[in-house]
Amino acid sequence: MRPGSICAVAACKLTRQALRLFHRGGTALPGKAARLFDPDILKRVSEGMEIIVVTGTNGKTTTCSMLENALRAGGRESLSNKSGANLLSGVTAELTCNATWTGKPKTHYAVIECDEGALKQVAPLISPKVIIVTNLFRDQLDRYGEVMHTLDEIRKGILASPGSILCLNADDSLTGSLAGDVPNPVVWYGLDTPTGEEKEPVLSDARYCIRCGTEYGYHYHTYAHLGGFFCPKCGYSRPEPDFAVTQIEEMNTAGTRCRVRMSAAPYEMEITVGLPAVYNLYNAMAALCACTAFGLPAEECAASLKTVHSSFGRMENFILGKTSLQMILVKNPAGCSQALEYLSSVKEPCRAVFALNDRTADGHDISWIWDADYEKICSSGILQEILVLGDRAEDMQLRLKYAGADTSRITIVREAREALKWIEASPVPVFAFPNYTSMLELREAVRERTGEKEFWQ
Ligand SMILES: [Zn+2]
């Protein structure tokens, strides 16, 4: 190691210790400090490691949890970057702080969540063995042009790491198009079967062929623009996945039991995914596909999916007094509609909290809520009471009113602590749908009550 690298490791560790001393959860600063001394420190501290990188709009965090769980099930300890530190500084901090003082990695494996825009910086430094691209959806108020920009950023990232095996969602026409532009070997995953009742999705971020502009046809839909797409003009179509769900046998709030085929095996496996909702089925297929590409036995990974735990704000469960709270982070129309679709599948009386802030980390423009499908849940009759919370609680209330909610059953509060009182008084299960900063506040209020540790510890 060069002296600069030694200093970089020390700077990273000491900055993090100092932040902890003052009870600050800074995740990027230690990485920035390290890079001041050695801009390539990430390359040095990850040398010899076997790394899986997960990028894409939705499902990154959950897919990472599934991968860690699969590695752990086989007795392989892995390193991961939690709490949203998925830009270059955050990834640098995580890997550098977890190296020895001389910069040697302490664990052989790492599962790294990476922001779509940061992939081109991170991937060439850590040379991942496998890169998963989960999907691409319009985030908040992005328009089509921005979705294409994000796709372009991901493409640059993959091109910067040509040795990585690419795991792609076969049902997503946007990310699927990457395969034709890069030299990397590609493995595909998907759902061979439709999942919802709706034939035509309400929401599509990719209605027209990415190659020729003709409107796609679909053999079936799963959700949003995902499904068995084909272009009637140029022939661009859903590739045959190597890993696919062939049949959903049972889906409830505890998880999903389904049948899965793998092109390498002559038989189908029955697997149970310990998290509910269709989008977690995609995350599970991504994890299974990546684990196998990584060289792990498919059966081992499949079995581990049953015990996967929910992660930071993605379907976390809390017990509060006599009631239960399930918290699901929502931050864009597609993810929000899917979370609400999941709530409609609960089919028993419950209460819901919709929390909306408009701070910098959330995006100031919150009009995306008008594109999310609240209508179905409001007409389902299962919501006994609704609480709206946050800086933009009134906007949320208005959205629910237009979705058909009974306004006499909507309560408005501004503070997460007040919301917690409302939740604790509920005689039925409560489901909360916060966006990012409102989730942090709600989680902090829960933490105060239950004494659970802060997420960065
Ligand atoms: Zn076409």
Side-chain angles (χ1 to χ4, degrees), residues 208-216 230-237:
Y208 303 101
C209 177
I210 191 164
R211 297 200 179 149
C212 75
T214 308
E215 188 165 356
Y216 287 121
F230 62 91
C231 170
K233 190 172 174 204
C234 76
Y236 174 50
S237 63

Side-chain angles (χ1 to χ4, degrees), residues 354 386-390 393-394 396-397 400 410-414:
F354 298 102
I386 295 171
L387 184 82
V388 290
L389 164 71
E394 284 80 6
M396 197 66 241
Q397 184 192 32
L400 294 170
I410 301 180
T411 309
I412 295 194
V413 301
R414 200 69 62 194

Side-chain angles (χ1 to χ4, degrees), residues 312-327:
F312 195 52
R314 277 81 177 176
M315 292 211 175
E316 278 186 306
N317 291 295
F318 303 94
I319 301 295
L320 291 162
K322 287 182 184 150
T323 195
S324 66
L325 168 68
Q326 191 167 50
M327 200 174 338

Side-chain angles (χ1 to χ4, degrees), residues 257-331:
R257 194 160 52 81
C258 61
R259 300 195 68 79
V260 171
R261 66 167 178 80
M262 296 180 292
S263 56
Y267 53 90
E268 291 195 349
M269 285 194 294
E270 188 181 275
I271 69 165
T272 301
V273 180
L275 284 173
V278 172
Y279 55 91
N280 282 322
L281 218 45
Y282 273 109
N283 296 333
M285 283 301 101
L288 183 63
C289 179
C291 276
T292 313
F294 202 60
L296 307 184
E299 285 78 10
E300 197 178 288
C301 172
S304 76
L305 292 168
K306 192 175 181 176
T307 60
V308 72
H309 302 296
S310 53
S311 46
F312 195 52
R314 277 81 177 176
M315 292 211 175
E316 278 186 306
N317 291 295
F318 303 94
I319 301 295
L320 291 162
K322 287 182 184 150
T323 195
S324 66
L325 168 68
Q326 191 167 50
M327 200 174 338
I328 305 171
L329 172 70
V330 294
K331 51 182 184 169

Side-chain angles (χ1 to χ4, degrees), residues 2 16 28 34 75 95 117 129 142 172 189 221 256 294 300-301 321 337 339 343 382 401 409 419-420 447-448 455:
R2 303 178 322 171
R16 179 175 279 194
L95 284 159
K129 191 166 170 182
D142 300 348
D172 182 351
Y189 64 90
H221 292 281
T256 305
F294 202 60
E300 197 178 288
C301 172
S337 295
L343 181 59
I382 63 167
K401 184 184 165 193
R409 294 185 173 183
L420 206 64
R447 191 191 67 78
E448 280 175 10
F455 66 85

Side-chain angles (χ1 to χ4, degrees), residues 21-344:
L21 209 57
F22 295 106
H23 301 288
R24 298 282 298 275
T27 48
L29 203 56
K32 284 184 179 158
R35 296 189 64 249
L36 277 180
F37 289 96
D38 181 359
D40 283 338
I41 188 64
L42 183 55
K43 190 184 174 95
R44 293 182 223 291
V45 294
S46 61
E47 197 140 14
M49 292 182 82
E50 290 189 87
I51 301 177
I52 306 180
V53 163
V54 184
T55 194
T57 310
N58 289 342
K60 289 191 283 285
T61 307
T62 304
T63 305
C64 283
S65 292
M66 289 174 167
L67 290 166
E68 278 178 78
N69 198 46
L71 284 165
R72 198 180 305 122
R76 305 167 194 88
E77 275 312 308
S78 64
L79 182 69
S80 65
N81 55 330
K82 292 204 174 64
S83 62
N86 62 6
L87 300 174
L88 178 60
S89 300
V91 177
T92 303
E94 207 57 57
L95 284 159
T96 308
C97 284
N98 286 287
T100 64
W101 286 87
T102 56
K104 298 258 184 326
K106 285 185 199 162
T107 52
H108 182 65
Y109 302 99
V111 178
I112 298 296
E113 172 182 333
C114 188
D115 174 82
E116 301 89 282
L119 187 68
K120 59 182 186 295
Q121 301 167 304
V122 172
L125 292 172
I126 62 176
S127 306
K129 191 166 170 182
V130 175
I131 298 176
I132 303 176
V133 185
T134 56
N135 48 51
L136 197 53
F137 292 111
R138 185 164 69 85
D139 227 358
Q140 295 160 355
L141 254 216
D142 300 348
R143 289 296 165 213
Y144 184 67
E146 291 177 55
V147 170
M148 298 317 285
H149 174 74
T150 307
L151 186 62
D152 203 39
E153 295 286 287
I154 297 173
R155 187 182 297 110
K156 283 179 195 159
I158 296 165
L159 285 169
S161 186
S164 307
I165 302 170
L166 202 53
C167 292
L168 292 179
N169 187 339
D171 301 356
D172 182 351
S173 58
L174 289 170
T175 54
S177 72
L178 290 165
D181 306 333
V182 296
N184 308 52
V186 178
V187 218
W188 300 93
Y189 64 90
L191 269 57
D192 281 351
T193 170
T195 54
E197 304 105 62
E198 56 180 339
K199 281 272 165 269
E200 278 294 314
V202 182
L203 188 78
S204 180
D205 295 329
R207 196 173 293 281
Y208 303 101
C209 177
I210 191 164
R211 297 200 179 149
C212 75
T214 308
E215 188 165 356
Y216 287 121
Y218 277 85
H219 297 299
Y220 63 92
H221 292 281
T222 57
Y223 76 93
H225 67 271
L226 308 186
F229 69 91
F230 62 91
C231 170
K233 190 172 174 204
C234 76
Y236 174 50
S237 63
R238 173 191 189 252
E240 177 80 2
D242 304 286
F243 297 82
V245 171
T246 55
Q247 200 186 337
I248 296 169
E249 290 177 334
E250 191 184 357
M251 190 177 262
N252 56 42
T253 53
T256 305
R257 194 160 52 81
C258 61
R259 300 195 68 79
V260 171
R261 66 167 178 80
M262 296 180 292
S263 56
Y267 53 90
E268 291 195 349
M269 285 194 294
E270 188 181 275
I271 69 165
T272 301
V273 180
L275 284 173
V278 172
Y279 55 91
N280 282 322
L281 218 45
Y282 273 109
N283 296 333
M285 283 301 101
L288 183 63
C289 179
C291 276
T292 313
F294 202 60
L296 307 184
E299 285 78 10
E300 197 178 288
C301 172
S304 76
L305 292 168
K306 192 175 181 176
T307 60
V308 72
H309 302 296
S310 53
S311 46
F312 195 52
R314 277 81 177 176
M315 292 211 175
E316 278 186 306
N317 291 295
F318 303 94
I319 301 295
L320 291 162
K322 287 182 184 150
T323 195
S324 66
L325 168 68
Q326 191 167 50
M327 200 174 338
I328 305 171
L329 172 70
V330 294
K331 51 182 184 169
N332 51 38
C336 185
S337 295
Q338 271 297 293
L340 295 168
E341 175 75 31
Y342 160 66
L343 181 59
S344 340

